[in-house]
Amino acid sequence: MATIEECRTALDKLSDNLAGAEGDVRSAAALNRSLSCRITDLDITFVGRLKDGRIEVLDTLPGGPRERAQIRLTMSGDDLVSMVNGELNFAKAWGSGRVRLEAGLRDLFRLRSLL
């Protein structure tokens, strides 16, 4: 099972990947939205913002998020680490229910290029 530190490192790596992206991926990540990433097996939630193509983690909370973020991810810590390391395909994990992504319809359309 991935640790809190490994999950935080994975989010930082994902942020670096988004910041270095080009084209459609770069424009999709250029949203300015509140973000939460709930790690089910650790019973924690990282909260922050997706802003200017980067993920800024502002806090780590026990349990679920206190407020509903505009973009919400839910998954296990191992799945987060595996996705960021390229070992787990996000679209397949999302389609199988291993990963949940919730957002407004407009944001989902923009984020689809990240999949």
Side-chain angles (χ1 to χ4, degrees):
M1 178 169 53
T3 65
I4 293 173
E5 294 78 23
E6 290 169 326
C7 292
R8 178 59 196 257
T9 299
L11 286 172
D12 290 341
K13 183 177 177 182
L14 177 58
S15 179
D16 292 342
N17 292 346
L18 291 174
E22 296 179 3
D24 290 341
V25 173
R26 176 82 175 167
S27 65
L31 297 169
N32 183 4
R33 301 285 189 271
S34 60
L35 174 76
S36 67
C37 181
R38 175 140 169 75
I39 308 299
T40 55
D41 53 334
L42 297 175
D43 195 27
I44 61 161
T45 302
F46 295 100
V47 294
R49 293 202 70 78
L50 174 62
K51 184 177 179 184
D52 299 325
R54 295 200 67 89
I55 296 170
E56 179 184 4
V57 176
L58 302 172
D59 205 357
T60 304
L61 306 171
R66 306 291 185 267
E67 297 177 11
R68 184 178 163 149
Q70 292 166 304
I71 299 171
R72 299 167 303 282
L73 291 163
T74 304
M75 68 194 79
S76 73
D78 288 341
D79 285 345
L80 172 62
V81 171
S82 293
M83 279 191 313
V84 172
N85 288 336
E87 300 160 1
L88 177 64
N89 179 280
F90 180 85
K92 288 182 182 178
W94 186 31
S96 70
R98 287 175 66 177
V99 173
R100 287 183 50 201
L101 170 64
E102 299 172 272
L105 189 58
R106 184 179 301 166
D107 288 341
L108 285 174
F109 280 124
R110 286 194 67 184
L111 292 170
R112 74 175 183 225
S113 64
L114 298 175
L115 307 177

